[in-house]
Amino acid sequence: MNMGRSKRAGRKLVQYTPSERPASPQHRPPIAVNSICRRAPFLGAIAVVSLFFSASRLTADESAAPGEPSRPNVLMIAIDDLNDWVEPLGGHPQVQTPAMARLAERGVTFTNAHCQAPLCNPSRTSIMTARRPTSTGIYGLQPWIRNVDELSQLVTMPQYFSANGYKSLVGGKIHHGGNGRRNQPNLEADVWGPPAKVGVRPKQKLIGSTPGGNNPLMDWGTFPHKDEEKGDWAIASWAVDQLSELSKTPDQPFFLAAGFFLPHVPCYVTQKWYDMYPEESLILPPIRDGDRDDTSESSWYIHWYLPEPRTSWLKENNQLKNLTRSYLASISFVDSQVGRILDQLDSTGLADNTIVVMWSDHGYHLGEKAISGKNSLWRHSTRVPLIISVPEGLTDFDVPKAVQCNQPAELLDMYATLAQLTGLPIPDGQEGLSLVPQLVDPATPREKPAICTHNAGNHSVCDTRWRYVVYADGAEELYDTVADPFEYENLLASRENPQSHRNVIKRLAAYLPKEEKPLAPNSKARILEKRKDGFYWEEKKIVPEDKME
């Protein structure tokens, strides 16, 4: 494995202890922001973040020693609710994602990457802070870290790069919802683009009323409109414009993050994308009737009452094909927007100086395991695209192109990975591992399996062969993902479990969190809590007889 210096002439990273730090800003080394917070524990949250930005921010010239090239740029592309239905992962045999395939040809595709929570806010909080939900107590769609005293000083990825001389730009959905852009957004990023939004909508829902409250987001299909009227088109246009401006200052490194909304529901698409997946030849998801018969009652608790329809409703209302077509079409549309950004990266001449990383916050069920939506601990919710492209000679590491890595990877690994690739110190407190060893040699074993958590006590643990699932009441599942990739057969359903299976469980269970933070203050939405008298979903006690199937 070659992890030596790159071909970049004269590039040498110099790091100092605080006492050795040169006075001249021209020779200032990378800033480890955790030291700032340690030195100012008496300050309030906003004061610390303000200090972090005002006292620690470097200019482009300050981030590299005289005569050295500026640091690599970072382009981050995030996609909401995207499962493994992309060409590089082969999750659906008919999906068409040429732009993602092109990106995969430029880098390394992690085929065994998993989110740390199958829900937007806890997953994105974990990604941006490199902390697990069990370490923050962020399990639901609320709260935002800045509204929790204990978490308010956490330094997110855009902040960290800003503190080390990068220009940080954030557009669309990177944090959940409006988090980051509501209060003092200048402390979170240098430049804010348009927020994530659906864009144009039909006058009324296309599929009619849905169970679980008839949520307006639960809709999909096609109606007369233009691609240019969609929120994701605006995100891509913003990113294209920003790349054009950034190309005018090539010595200023940037961290540009663009987050797309689709294929999150409502999956509205124009007719041309819908027609790419004709109904008569459509391949439906790998749904097995009775697939929950070998899982525990508590497996339903983590998605007890949701607006996403169950598979039974989709079938009864003739919506399974429509949802599948709309989801596939939404993916292909978003892929075209990814392509617009990659085209601009090439045309501006920035591609050779830019690391590109593409990810999804979690997966999505389309009828598998009797549900649609996320909020599960199985493959369809946890397995996500993760592609990292590092141009030849740009960094200190030789990263191959067009290769796949089957080692378990976690989305919170991106923070440490990007820090190491750009020559910055990996901040203290990181719970992810740098994936640089796997980027250099995809066969390099990762030290730990991948863990996903959905509310305290509910976890899945994945290595290169097995998925172990444990629920808060102690119920367990084990799947051989090599022999059974769609996880149909819970190997623990039989009372006669081979000792070899118990040995696998013992090994994987050793990686489960030893301590789990309780719900953070003001936690709301999709919250499951175990209390002395039973389980509570969103503050209402679960009555097993009321289960939605």
Side-chain angles (χ1 to χ4, degrees), residues 155-170:
V155 177
T156 64
M157 227 186 304
Q159 288 179 318
Y160 183 65
F161 278 89
S162 284
N164 282 285
Y166 279 72
K167 183 175 184 178
S168 60
L169 308 93
V170 175

Side-chain angles (χ1 to χ4, degrees), residues 427-497:
D428 290 348
Q430 297 272 302
E431 296 187 60
L433 302 175
S434 173
L435 295 172
V436 167
Q438 287 73 38
L439 285 171
V440 173
D441 180 1
T444 301
R446 187 177 184 270
E447 296 177 14
K448 300 178 181 179
I451 301 172
C452 181
T453 299
H454 191 33
N455 287 291
N458 305 285
H459 312 283
S460 71
V461 186
C462 296
D463 63 9
T464 55
R465 179 177 178 182
W466 305 98
R467 178 187 295 273
Y468 169 60
V469 180
V470 61
Y471 297 98
D473 67 347
E476 297 174 301
E477 301 167 16
L478 182 67
Y479 301 94
D480 183 339
T481 60
V482 174
D484 178 23
F486 294 119
E487 301 168 356
Y488 292 132
E489 303 291 342
N490 174 15
L491 297 173
L492 303 183
S494 171
R495 292 186 178 183
E496 297 180 1
N497 298 318

